[in-house]
Amino acid sequence: MTAEVSLRAKLENALRNTVARAQREGAIPQFEVPDLSVEVAHDPSHGDFSSNAALSLARSARMQPARLAQILLDSFEDPDGLIAKARFAPPGFLNFTLEGRALQQVVLDVLSAGDSYGCQPAESTGRKILVEFVSANPTGPIHIGHARGAFLGDALARLLVAAGNVVTREFFINDYGKQMEALGRTLYQRYRESFGDPVDTGAIQYPGAYVVDIARAWAKEVGDVFRSAPESRWLPAAIAFGKAACLEAIRGTLARAGIHHEIFTSEQAIHDRGKVAALIASYRARGVLYEASEGRRRESGEKVRSAGSKAAAFAVRQEGGTFLMTATYQEGGKYVLRDDEDRVLLRPDGSPVYLAGDLAYHRDKFERGFDAAVDVFGADHGGHVARLHSGLRLLGIDEDRLRVVQVQMVRITRGDVEVKQSKRRGEIDTLDDLLDEVGPDVCRFLFLSRNPNAQFDIDLDALTAESKDNPVYYLQYGHARCSAVLDRAAKRGTPFMGAQALSLEMLAPLRSSAERELLKRMSQLPDVVVSASRRLEPHHVLHYCRELIAEFHSYYTNTKGDPILGSDLVRTQARLALVAALRQVLRSAFGILGISAPEAMGAIETEEEGLL
């Protein structure tokens, strides 16, 4: 697989070479040239692409932008024959109009690349990235609150792979602490209940029906061996069985959603392997721990936490504990960390808090050789991010190697009525419930269509409607319409000849303004993938698809007087090639995010044949 080089990237490369040539020839002085950008022109009358290079370099070149722009135009290097016209526009813009052949080449590039179009060569960056997401407590099924982070994490991993990175997906099992003991005690009560024994309702901390099912399975497997056993025997066994059952259910749900993880890492194992003890020892050696009644704040030693904070609620348990200098550590007399107060790592009795285990786990990520790590957190974990970054820096790890994407919760409605999240029949509580309601494709479209920080509502009625007002339906309809055009051509006896028989000369009829705009838009997928992966924002890929489909629908509708399947067979083949390439671009973009591309949708059968 070769690297996908977009038209924009080719122009940027030509512009860099032109500046270098002008410097070699003495037309402009020597200076370090920054990255030069070329963007799609906002107004097609100005050309296809535009660059502000003359403006950005004028100061370093000690020239007026207009003079510098003219020098660049006079010596412009265009070995690929991309440019039909290059013009200067005040105060310092370079506008480029592309040759028709350069745009038509996009069709050949797309069809040649197939499903890999838009992707960089596998592992071409050499960067190893660990993406951690979901990471739910193994005490029950995947809740609807985890759904957005689950689909986003999987899409981020796919996007990073498409950008040429080596990606590993990891699920951090939160199986250390009181919640696992609570699950074990609940499960034991339900286990005894299955034999007709009375239940201690005070020990039922997980009242869901799923625990009853797990208990019955446990009883079936082991019989009544634990019915009268001491707690020292039944509690570890109950925890182990309950954890295994919950993890199996979680894996099954994620598989239904098309989500998988290469690694499941246990929090308990992090403690058992001595990773937390080693972390504390490292901090002590660096002199960034202290014992106190509470953590110091950055500005002074005064109390910082608000009365309503979680830290304040557990302040008594922290008195005499061991604190990490996540806020007050200084280098060169300056505060260098991001937190607003120091955080407790060890309680007064020496037991570690959650932050200690999480820092040990994140240290372990980089000890395993990953160049970067991406975490997908719920918005309610926002305060934890600064503590992680500070804790890593105090270990001598560049905190910028960890990037955290935070996702907001969503509200589920049917029309204008909110769907309460409960276990009652017909209401949404788990990811399985949502998958039953709308399916995995709709879920992906839904959760990936917005910026992760955006809050929005899920209208189940709208998402199940076969209407162009349904954003999911609208996108899939675009791909299916392309397939319908190609199928109709075959039925009429003028099938698309296929990519192997196609040549650049055959694409010459693609020269209308609408066709040029479609080709230009199609060429942008590699740029969108790289940009979205750097920003960790997969919604840009879907926005790109929406814009491409809107342009295609407009083109399709406006061919009524000059139908795609017209009497001019040369033009018909060129247009069918355009449609085939556009379908491939959509399929590739959908595939990058793990979304299926339907070949047929019922409503398309009612389209006017005259448009074809």
Side-chain angles (χ1 to χ4, degrees), residues 46-126:
H46 295 164
D48 296 308
F49 291 88
S50 180
S51 175
N52 67 347
L55 282 171
S56 65
L57 299 179
R59 186 182 185 91
S60 298
R62 299 187 295 279
M63 291 182 178
Q64 291 297 319
R67 172 61 181 153
L68 178 57
Q70 193 58 54
I71 290 174
L72 296 179
L73 288 176
D74 290 342
S75 58
F76 202 88
E77 292 197 349
D78 183 22
D80 295 321
L82 299 174
I83 300 169
K85 185 187 298 182
R87 292 172 293 178
F88 164 73
F93 291 97
L94 301 175
N95 292 333
F96 304 103
T97 300
L98 299 187
E99 290 280 3
R101 290 172 63 88
L103 287 167
Q104 293 150 11
Q105 179 65 40
V106 172
V107 172
L108 299 179
D109 292 343
V110 170
L111 295 178
S112 174
D115 289 344
S116 67
Y117 182 72
C119 302
Q120 299 303 305
E123 304 182 3
S124 57
T125 69

Side-chain angles (χ1 to χ4, degrees), residues 403-586:
R403 297 181 64 185
V404 179
V405 179
Q406 295 179 253
V407 296
Q408 293 286 344
M409 294 289 289
V410 295
R411 190 175 72 109
I412 300 176
T413 67
R414 293 187 190 278
D416 296 328
V417 181
E418 182 174 1
V419 175
K420 299 298 182 182
Q421 296 181 22
S422 74
K423 290 292 184 184
R424 290 176 295 172
R425 182 179 178 84
E427 296 188 344
I428 302 295
D429 181 68
T430 67
L431 177 53
D432 274 317
D433 294 331
L434 190 59
L435 290 170
D436 290 340
E437 185 85 14
V438 299
D441 273 341
V442 172
C443 285
R444 278 187 182 267
F445 271 114
L446 174 70
F447 289 119
L448 301 180
S449 63
R450 308 287 184 88
N451 186 302
N453 286 318
Q455 295 181 337
F456 63 100
D457 295 347
I458 301 174
D459 185 349
L460 296 175
D461 289 342
L463 289 174
T464 54
E466 290 196 359
S467 164
K468 292 180 184 178
D469 293 331
N470 175 347
V472 177
Y473 184 86
Y474 179 81
L475 290 178
Q476 291 186 316
Y477 184 88
H479 180 272
R481 173 172 266 180
C482 291
S483 294
V485 171
L486 296 170
D487 289 344
R488 190 77 55 82
K491 290 175 181 177
R492 290 190 182 186
T494 56
F496 171 49
M497 65 177 59
Q500 298 301 321
L502 200 61
S503 68
L504 187 57
E505 288 71 22
M506 295 175 184
L507 299 172
L510 300 177
R511 52 179 176 266
S512 72
S513 60
E515 288 162 346
R516 287 178 64 92
E517 289 302 309
L518 274 172
L519 291 166
K520 190 164 58 179
R521 182 80 67 181
M522 289 159 57
S523 78
Q524 295 168 25
L525 181 58
D527 298 327
V528 173
V529 168
V530 171
S531 174
S533 69
R534 288 173 179 167
R535 299 163 70 173
L536 299 181
E537 294 179 343
H539 67 278
H540 292 293
V541 179
L542 285 184
H543 288 184
Y544 163 81
C545 291
R546 186 178 297 115
E547 292 167 354
L548 179 60
I549 288 168
E551 288 188 12
F552 174 58
H553 285 328
S554 176
Y555 171 70
Y556 177 92
T557 302
N558 291 332
T559 58
K560 188 170 184 180
D562 182 17
I564 293 175
L565 304 184
S567 58
D568 185 333
L569 296 183
V570 175
R571 176 177 289 186
T572 294
Q573 280 300 318
R575 288 180 167 180
L576 289 176
L578 173 67
V579 173
L582 192 146
R583 179 178 65 169
Q584 181 60 68
V585 172
L586 292 174

